[in-house]
Coordinates of all heavy atoms in Angstrom, one line a residue:
Chain P
C294 N -3.4 14.2 6.6 CA -3.3 12.8 7.1 C -3.1 12.9 8.7 O -2.2 13.6 9.1 CB -2.1 12.1 6.6 SG -1.7 10.5 7.3
V295 N -4.0 12.3 9.4 CA -3.9 12.2 10.8 C -3.8 10.8 11.3 O -4.5 9.9 10.7 CB -5.1 12.9 11.5 CG1 -5.1 12.7 13.0 CG2 -5.2 14.4 11.1
Y296 N -2.9 10.5 12.2 CA -2.6 9.1 12.6 C -2.8 8.9 14.1 O -2.7 9.9 14.9 CB -1.2 8.7 12.1 CG -0.1 9.4 12.7 CD1 0.5 9.0 13.9 CD2 0.3 10.6 12.2 CE1 1.5 9.7 14.5 CE2 1.4 11.4 12.8 CZ 2.0 10.9 13.9 OH 3.0 11.6 14.5
E297 N -3.0 7.7 14.5 CA -3.0 7.3 15.9 C -2.2 6.1 16.1 O -2.3 5.1 15.3 CB -4.5 6.9 16.3 CG -5.5 8.1 16.2 CD -6.9 7.6 16.5 OE1 -7.0 6.7 17.3 OE2 -7.8 8.2 16.0
T298 N -1.3 6.1 17.1 CA -0.5 4.9 17.4 C -0.1 5.0 18.9 O 0.1 6.2 19.4 CB 0.7 4.8 16.5 OG1 1.5 3.7 16.9 CG2 1.6 6.0 16.6
R299 N 0.1 3.9 19.5 CA 0.7 3.9 20.9 C 2.2 3.7 20.8 O 2.8 3.7 21.9 CB 0.0 2.8 21.7 CG -1.5 3.1 21.9 CD -2.1 2.0 22.8 NE -3.5 2.2 23.0 CZ -4.3 1.3 23.6 NH1 -3.8 0.2 24.1 NH2 -5.6 1.6 23.8
D300 N 2.7 3.4 19.7 CA 4.2 3.1 19.6 C 4.9 4.4 19.7 O 4.5 5.5 19.2 CB 4.5 2.4 18.3 CG 3.9 1.1 18.2 OD1 4.2 0.2 19.0 OD2 3.1 0.8 17.2
T301 N 6.1 4.4 20.3 CA 6.9 5.6 20.4 C 7.8 5.7 19.2 O 8.2 6.8 18.8 CB 7.8 5.5 21.7 OG1 8.5 4.3 21.7 CG2 7.0 5.6 22.9
T302 N 8.1 4.6 18.5 CA 8.8 4.6 17.3 C 7.9 4.1 16.2 O 7.3 3.0 16.3 CB 10.1 3.7 17.4 OG1 10.9 4.1 18.4 CG2 10.8 3.7 16.0
Y303 N 7.8 4.9 15.2 CA 6.9 4.5 14.1 C 7.4 5.2 12.8 O 8.2 6.1 12.8 CB 5.4 4.8 14.4 CG 5.2 6.2 14.8 CD1 4.9 7.3 13.9 CD2 5.2 6.6 16.2 CE1 4.7 8.6 14.3 CE2 5.0 7.9 16.6 CZ 4.7 8.9 15.7 OH 4.5 10.2 16.1
Y304 N 6.8 4.8 11.7 CA 7.2 5.3 10.4 C 5.9 5.7 9.6 O 4.9 5.0 9.7 CB 8.0 4.2 9.6 CG 9.2 3.9 10.4 CD1 9.2 2.9 11.4 CD2 10.4 4.5 10.1 CE1 10.3 2.6 12.1 CE2 11.6 4.2 10.8 CZ 11.5 3.2 11.8 OH 12.6 3.0 12.6
L305 N 6.0 6.8 8.9 CA 4.9 7.3 8.2 C 5.3 7.4 6.7 O 6.5 7.6 6.3 CB 4.6 8.8 8.6 CG 4.0 8.8 10.0 CD1 4.1 10.3 10.6 CD2 2.6 8.3 10.1
F306 N 4.3 7.1 5.8 CA 4.6 7.0 4.4 C 3.5 7.7 3.6 O 2.4 7.9 4.1 CB 4.5 5.5 4.0 CG 5.4 4.5 4.7 CD1 5.2 4.1 6.0 CD2 6.6 4.1 4.0 CE1 6.0 3.2 6.6 CE2 7.4 3.2 4.7 CZ 7.2 2.8 5.9
W307 N 3.8 8.1 2.4 CA 2.9 8.5 1.4 C 3.1 7.7 0.2 O 4.3 7.5 -0.2 CB 2.9 10.0 1.1 CG 2.2 10.9 2.1 CD1 2.7 11.5 3.1 CD2 0.8 11.2 2.0 NE1 1.7 12.2 3.8 CE2 0.5 12.1 3.1 CE3 -0.2 10.9 1.1 CZ2 -0.7 12.6 3.3 CZ3 -1.5 11.4 1.3 CH2 -1.7 12.2 2.4
Y308 N 2.0 7.2 -0.4 CA 2.0 6.4 -1.7 C 1.1 7.1 -2.6 O 0.0 7.6 -2.2 CB 1.6 5.0 -1.5 CG 2.7 4.1 -0.9 CD1 2.8 3.9 0.5 CD2 3.5 3.3 -1.7 CE1 3.8 3.1 1.0 CE2 4.5 2.5 -1.2 CZ 4.6 2.3 0.1 OH 5.5 1.5 0.7
K309 N 1.4 7.0 -3.9 CA 0.5 7.5 -5.0 C 0.0 6.3 -5.8 O 0.8 5.4 -6.1 CB 1.3 8.4 -5.9 CG 0.6 8.9 -7.1 CD 1.5 9.8 -8.0 CE 0.8 10.2 -9.3 NZ 1.7 11.1 -10.1
Q310 N -1.3 6.3 -6.1 CA -1.8 5.2 -6.8 C -2.5 5.7 -8.1 O -3.6 6.2 -8.0 CB -2.8 4.3 -6.0 CG -3.3 3.1 -6.7 CD -4.1 2.2 -5.8 OE1 -5.0 2.6 -5.1 NE2 -3.9 0.9 -5.9
P311 N -1.8 5.7 -9.2 CA -2.4 6.2 -10.5 C -3.5 5.2 -10.9 O -3.6 4.1 -10.4 CB -1.2 6.3 -11.4 CG -0.2 5.3 -10.9 CD -0.4 5.3 -9.4
P312 N -4.2 5.5 -12.0 CA -5.2 4.6 -12.5 C -4.7 3.2 -12.8 O -5.5 2.2 -12.8 CB -5.8 5.3 -13.7 CG -5.5 6.8 -13.4 CD -4.2 6.8 -12.7
S313 N -3.4 3.1 -13.2 CA -2.9 1.8 -13.5 C -2.9 0.8 -12.3 O -2.8 -0.4 -12.5 CB -1.4 1.9 -14.0 OG -0.6 2.5 -13.0
G314 N -3.0 1.4 -11.1 CA -3.2 0.5 -9.9 C -1.9 0.3 -9.1 O -2.0 -0.1 -7.9
E315 N -0.8 0.6 -9.6 CA 0.5 0.3 -8.9 C 0.7 1.4 -7.8 O 0.6 2.6 -8.1 CB 1.6 0.3 -9.8 CG 3.0 0.0 -9.2 CD 4.0 -0.2 -10.3 OE1 3.7 -0.2 -11.5 OE2 5.2 -0.2 -9.9
L316 N 1.0 1.0 -6.6 CA 1.3 2.0 -5.6 C 2.7 2.4 -5.7 O 3.7 1.6 -5.7 CB 1.1 1.3 -4.2 CG -0.3 1.2 -3.7 CD1 -0.5 0.2 -2.6 CD2 -0.8 2.6 -3.2
V317 N 2.9 3.7 -5.8 CA 4.2 4.3 -6.0 C 4.7 5.0 -4.7 O 4.0 5.9 -4.2 CB 4.2 5.3 -7.2 CG1 5.6 6.0 -7.3 CG2 3.7 4.7 -8.5
F318 N 5.8 4.6 -4.2 CA 6.3 5.1 -3.0 C 6.7 6.6 -3.2 O 7.4 6.9 -4.1 CB 7.5 4.3 -2.5 CG 8.3 4.8 -1.4 CD1 7.9 4.7 -0.1 CD2 9.5 5.6 -1.7 CE1 8.7 5.2 1.0 CE2 10.2 6.1 -0.6 CZ 9.8 5.9 0.7
L319 N 6.4 7.4 -2.2 CA 6.8 8.8 -2.3 C 7.7 9.2 -1.2 O 8.7 9.9 -1.5 CB 5.5 9.7 -2.3 CG 4.5 9.6 -3.4 CD1 3.3 10.5 -3.1 CD2 5.2 9.9 -4.7
I320 N 7.4 8.8 0.0 CA 8.3 9.3 1.1 C 8.1 8.4 2.3 O 7.0 7.8 2.5 CB 8.0 10.7 1.5 CG1 9.0 11.2 2.5 CG2 6.6 10.9 2.1 CD1 9.0 12.7 2.8
R321 N 9.1 8.2 3.1 CA 9.1 7.6 4.4 C 9.7 8.5 5.4 O 10.7 9.1 5.2 CB 9.8 6.3 4.4 CG 9.8 5.6 5.8 CD 10.8 4.4 5.8 NE 12.2 4.8 5.7 CZ 13.2 3.9 5.5 NH1 12.9 2.7 5.4 NH2 14.4 4.4 5.4
R322 N 9.0 8.7 6.6 CA 9.5 9.5 7.6 C 9.4 8.8 8.9 O 8.4 8.2 9.2 CB 8.7 10.8 7.6 CG 9.0 11.8 8.7 CD 10.5 12.2 8.8 NE 11.1 12.5 7.5 CZ 11.0 13.8 7.0 NH1 10.5 14.7 7.7 NH2 11.6 14.0 5.8
N323 N 10.5 8.8 9.7 CA 10.4 8.2 11.1 C 10.0 9.2 12.1 O 10.2 10.4 11.9 CB 11.7 7.4 11.4 CG 12.8 8.4 11.8 OD1 12.7 9.2 12.7 ND2 14.0 8.2 11.1
S324 N 9.5 8.7 13.2 CA 8.9 9.5 14.3 C 9.9 10.4 15.0 O 9.5 11.3 15.7 CB 8.2 8.6 15.3 OG 9.1 7.6 15.8
F325 N 11.2 10.1 14.8 CA 12.2 11.0 15.4 C 12.6 12.2 14.6 O 13.3 13.1 15.1 CB 13.5 10.2 15.7 CG 13.2 9.1 16.7 CD1 13.4 7.7 16.4 CD2 12.8 9.3 18.0 CE1 13.2 6.7 17.3 CE2 12.6 8.3 18.9 CZ 12.8 7.0 18.5
D326 N 12.2 12.2 13.4 CA 12.6 13.2 12.5 C 11.4 14.1 12.1 O 10.6 13.8 11.2 CB 13.2 12.6 11.2 CG 13.7 13.7 10.2 OD1 13.7 14.9 10.6 OD2 14.2 13.3 9.1
E327 N 11.3 15.3 12.7 CA 10.2 16.1 12.5 C 10.5 17.2 11.5 O 9.7 18.2 11.3 CB 9.7 16.8 13.8 CG 9.0 15.8 14.7 CD 8.2 16.5 15.8 OE1 7.2 17.2 15.5 OE2 8.6 16.3 17.0
Q328 N 11.6 17.1 10.9 CA 12.0 18.1 9.8 C 11.1 18.0 8.7 O 10.8 16.9 8.2 CB 13.4 17.9 9.4 CG 14.4 18.6 10.3 CD 15.8 18.7 9.6 OE1 16.1 17.9 8.8 NE2 16.5 19.7 10.0
N329 N 10.6 19.1 8.1 CA 9.8 19.1 6.9 C 10.7 18.7 5.7 O 11.9 18.9 5.8 CB 9.1 20.4 6.7 CG 8.1 20.6 7.7 OD1 7.5 19.7 8.3 ND2 7.8 21.9 8.1
E330 N 10.1 18.1 4.7 CA 10.9 17.7 3.6 C 10.3 18.3 2.3 O 9.1 18.3 2.2 CB 11.0 16.2 3.5 CG 11.9 15.7 2.4 CD 12.4 14.3 2.6 OE1 12.4 13.8 3.8 OE2 12.8 13.7 1.6
I331 N 11.2 18.7 1.4 CA 10.7 19.2 0.1 C 11.4 18.4 -1.0 O 12.7 18.1 -0.9 CB 11.1 20.7 -0.1 CG1 10.3 21.5 1.0 CG2 10.7 21.1 -1.5 CD1 10.7 22.9 1.0
S332 N 10.7 17.9 -2.0 CA 11.2 17.2 -3.1 C 10.5 17.8 -4.4 O 9.4 17.4 -4.7 CB 11.0 15.7 -3.0 OG 11.5 15.1 -4.1
G333 N 11.2 18.7 -5.0 CA 10.6 19.3 -6.2 C 9.3 20.1 -5.8 O 9.3 20.9 -5.0
R334 N 8.2 19.7 -6.5 CA 6.9 20.3 -6.2 C 6.2 19.7 -5.0 O 5.2 20.2 -4.6 CB 6.0 20.2 -7.4 CG 6.5 20.9 -8.6 CD 5.6 20.8 -9.8 NE 5.3 19.4 -10.2 CZ 4.2 18.8 -10.0 NH1 3.2 19.3 -9.3 NH2 4.1 17.5 -10.4
Y335 N 6.8 18.7 -4.4 CA 6.2 18.0 -3.3 C 6.8 18.4 -1.9 O 8.1 18.6 -1.9 CB 6.4 16.5 -3.4 CG 5.7 15.8 -4.5 CD1 6.0 14.5 -4.8 CD2 4.8 16.4 -5.3 CE1 5.4 13.8 -5.9 CE2 4.2 15.8 -6.4 CZ 4.5 14.5 -6.7 OH 3.9 13.8 -7.7
S336 N 6.0 18.6 -0.9 CA 6.6 18.9 0.4 C 5.7 18.2 1.4 O 4.5 17.9 1.2 CB 6.6 20.4 0.7 OG 5.4 21.0 0.6
W337 N 6.3 17.9 2.6 CA 5.6 17.1 3.6 C 5.8 17.9 4.9 O 6.9 18.3 5.2 CB 6.1 15.7 3.7 CG 5.8 14.9 2.6 CD1 4.6 14.1 2.4 CD2 6.5 14.7 1.3 NE1 4.6 13.5 1.2 CE2 5.8 13.8 0.5 CE3 7.7 15.2 0.9 CZ2 6.2 13.5 -0.8 CZ3 8.1 14.9 -0.4 CH2 7.4 14.0 -1.2
N338 N 4.8 18.0 5.7 CA 4.8 18.7 7.0 C 4.4 17.7 8.1 O 3.3 17.2 8.2 CB 3.8 19.8 7.0 CG 3.9 20.7 8.2 OD1 4.2 20.2 9.3 ND2 3.5 21.9 8.2
F339 N 5.4 17.3 8.9 CA 5.2 16.3 9.9 C 5.1 17.0 11.3 O 6.1 17.7 11.6 CB 6.3 15.3 10.0 CG 6.3 14.3 11.1 CD1 5.1 13.9 11.6 CD2 7.5 13.7 11.6 CE1 5.1 12.9 12.7 CE2 7.4 12.8 12.6 CZ 6.2 12.4 13.2
Q340 N 4.0 16.9 12.0 CA 3.8 17.6 13.3 C 3.4 16.5 14.3 O 2.2 16.1 14.3 CB 2.8 18.7 13.2 CG 3.3 19.9 12.3 CD 2.5 21.1 12.6 OE1 1.4 21.1 13.2 NE2 3.0 22.3 12.2
K341 N 4.3 16.1 15.1 CA 4.1 15.1 16.1 C 3.0 15.6 17.1 O 2.2 14.8 17.6 CB 5.4 14.8 16.8 CG 5.5 13.3 17.2 CD 7.0 13.1 17.6 CE 7.1 11.7 18.1 NZ 8.5 11.4 18.4
S342 N 3.0 16.9 17.4 CA 2.1 17.4 18.4 C 0.7 17.2 18.1 O -0.2 17.1 18.9 CB 2.4 18.9 18.7 OG 2.3 19.6 17.5
T343 N 0.4 17.2 16.8 CA -1.0 17.1 16.3 C -1.2 15.7 15.6 O -2.2 15.5 15.0 CB -1.4 18.2 15.3 OG1 -0.4 18.3 14.3 CG2 -1.4 19.6 16.1
S344 N -0.2 14.9 15.6 CA -0.2 13.6 14.9 C -0.6 13.7 13.5 O -1.6 13.1 13.0 CB -1.2 12.6 15.7 OG -0.7 12.4 17.0
S345 N 0.0 14.6 12.8 CA -0.4 14.9 11.4 C 0.9 14.8 10.5 O 2.0 15.1 10.9 CB -1.0 16.2 11.2 OG -0.1 17.3 11.5
F346 N 0.6 14.4 9.3 CA 1.7 14.2 8.3 C 1.1 14.6 6.9 O 0.7 13.8 6.1 CB 2.2 12.8 8.3 CG 3.4 12.6 7.4 CD1 4.5 13.4 7.4 CD2 3.5 11.4 6.6 CE1 5.6 13.2 6.6 CE2 4.6 11.2 5.8 CZ 5.7 12.1 5.8
N347 N 1.0 15.9 6.7 CA 0.3 16.5 5.6 C 1.3 16.6 4.3 O 2.5 16.8 4.5 CB -0.3 17.8 5.9 CG -1.3 17.7 7.0 OD1 -1.9 16.6 7.2 ND2 -1.6 18.8 7.6
F348 N 0.7 16.5 3.2 CA 1.4 16.5 1.9 C 0.9 17.6 1.0 O -0.3 17.7 0.8 CB 1.1 15.1 1.3 CG 1.6 14.9 -0.1 CD1 2.8 15.5 -0.6 CD2 1.0 14.0 -1.0 CE1 3.3 15.3 -1.8 CE2 1.4 13.8 -2.3 CZ 2.6 14.4 -2.7
T349 N 1.8 18.4 0.6 CA 1.4 19.5 -0.3 C 2.1 19.4 -1.7 O 3.3 19.1 -1.8 CB 1.8 20.9 0.3 OG1 1.1 21.1 1.6 CG2 1.5 22.1 -0.6
I350 N 1.3 19.6 -2.7 CA 1.7 19.7 -4.0 C 1.6 21.1 -4.5 O 0.5 21.7 -4.5 CB 0.9 18.8 -5.0 CG1 1.0 17.3 -4.5 CG2 1.5 18.9 -6.4 CD1 0.1 16.3 -5.3
T351 N 2.7 21.7 -4.9 CA 2.8 23.1 -5.4 C 2.7 23.1 -6.9 O 3.3 22.2 -7.6 CB 4.1 23.7 -4.9 OG1 4.2 23.6 -3.5 CG2 4.2 25.2 -5.3
A352 N 1.9 24.0 -7.4 CA 1.8 24.2 -8.8 C 1.4 22.8 -9.5 O 2.1 22.3 -10.3 CB 3.1 24.7 -9.5
S353 N 0.2 22.4 -9.1 CA -0.2 21.0 -9.5 C -0.3 20.9 -11.0 O -0.5 21.9 -11.7 CB -1.6 20.7 -8.8 OG -2.5 21.7 -9.3
Q354 N -0.1 19.6 -11.4 CA -0.2 19.3 -12.8 C -1.2 18.2 -13.0 O -1.5 17.4 -12.1 CB 1.2 18.9 -13.3 CG 2.2 20.0 -13.2 CD 3.6 19.5 -13.6 OE1 3.8 18.3 -14.0 NE2 4.6 20.3 -13.5
V355 N -1.7 18.1 -14.2 CA -2.7 17.0 -14.5 C -2.1 15.6 -14.2 O -2.9 14.7 -13.7 CB -3.1 17.1 -16.0 CG1 -4.0 15.9 -16.4 CG2 -3.9 18.4 -16.3
V356 N -0.8 15.4 -14.4 CA -0.2 14.1 -14.1 C -0.2 13.8 -12.6 O 0.0 12.6 -12.2 CB 1.2 14.0 -14.6 CG1 1.2 14.1 -16.1 CG2 2.1 15.1 -14.0
D357 N -0.5 14.8 -11.8 CA -0.6 14.5 -10.3 C -1.9 13.8 -10.0 O -2.1 13.4 -8.8 CB -0.5 15.8 -9.5 CG 0.9 16.5 -9.7 OD1 1.9 15.7 -9.9 OD2 0.9 17.7 -9.7
S358 N -2.8 13.8 -10.9 CA -4.2 13.1 -10.6 C -4.0 11.7 -10.3 O -3.4 10.9 -11.1 CB -5.1 13.3 -11.8 OG -5.4 14.6 -12.1
A359 N -4.4 11.3 -9.1 CA -4.3 9.9 -8.6 C -5.0 9.8 -7.3 O -5.5 10.8 -6.8 CB -2.8 9.6 -8.5
V360 N -4.9 8.6 -6.7 CA -5.3 8.5 -5.3 C -4.1 8.4 -4.5 O -3.1 7.7 -4.8 CB -6.2 7.2 -5.1 CG1 -6.6 7.1 -3.6 CG2 -7.4 7.2 -6.0

Side-chain angles (χ1 to χ4, degrees):
Chain P
C294 172
V295 175
Y296 62 92
E297 296 175 29
T298 180
R299 293 181 181 176
D300 295 302
T301 53
T302 301
Y303 51 89
Y304 299 84
L305 294 163
F306 303 77
W307 276 95
Y308 281 87
K309 174 182 180 180
Q310 188 174 43
S313 62
E315 182 175 349
L316 281 162
V317 178
F318 169 83
L319 296 178
I320 189 171
R321 178 187 69 189
R322 177 52 51 86
N323 73 54
S324 53
F325 296 118
D326 182 3
E327 287 194 69
Q328 277 195 331
N329 292 330
E330 183 157 340
I331 299 174
S332 176
R334 296 184 296 106
Y335 296 170
S336 62
W337 291 270
N338 184 336
F339 176 29
Q340 293 199 341
K341 215 168 176 178
S342 60
T343 56
S344 297
S345 65
F346 187 44
N347 296 339
F348 172 33
T349 296
I350 301 175
T351 303
S353 60
Q354 300 176 2
V355 172
V356 293
D357 296 327
S358 296
V360 180

